[in-house]
Amino acid sequence: MEQYNYEEFLKDLSMGREIHFIYKDEEYYIGSGTGHFMFWRFYDSASEIIGEDIEDLLIKVKLDEKEIKEVWDLIEINSIF
């Protein structure tokens, strides 16, 4: 199977898909729901970040002080809805 790349990730997000991924043994959610673009770590409601759009959300989300694209090679995609 071909590697799921960052450009495909961006395309899926822009189409309104929801993506669950793992980074350093923690599960995360990113996607659009109820008209908002959202990100959070599973089982941690305080980690929720809301963006005006995909670009805004991706700027706000930090994993170890880095943007998702900077740690992309360390991310494992769990599922895409």
Side-chain angles (χ1 to χ4, degrees):
M1 185 168 123
E2 240 181 80
Q3 177 96 15
Y4 183 73
N5 64 42
Y6 188 74
E7 288 72 29
E8 290 171 301
F9 170 73
L10 294 178
K11 182 179 177 186
D12 282 344
L13 288 176
S14 69
M15 291 176 10
R17 300 186 82 178
E18 300 177 359
I19 299 168
H20 296 192
F21 67 90
I22 299 167
Y23 175 73
K24 292 193 174 178
D25 296 323
E26 293 280 350
E27 272 193 75
Y28 296 89
Y29 164 94
I30 190 166
S32 59
T34 65
H36 294 83
F37 293 93
M38 299 177 288
F39 167 89
W40 66 77
R41 183 172 55 231
F42 276 72
Y43 313 111
D44 181 5
S45 60
S47 68
E48 183 177 55
I49 298 170
I50 295 175
E52 295 293 318
D53 54 32
I54 292 297
E55 293 78 20
D56 181 53
L57 182 62
L58 290 172
I59 289 168
K60 291 177 179 178
V61 170
K62 302 289 187 222
L63 298 170
D64 292 334
E65 306 300 317
K66 295 180 179 170
E67 292 182 15
I68 290 176
K69 67 182 171 188
E70 295 177 273
V71 295
W72 184 252
D73 291 340
L74 303 174
I75 287 175
E76 175 190 339
I77 300 300
N78 197 11
S79 55
I80 301 169
F81 300 97

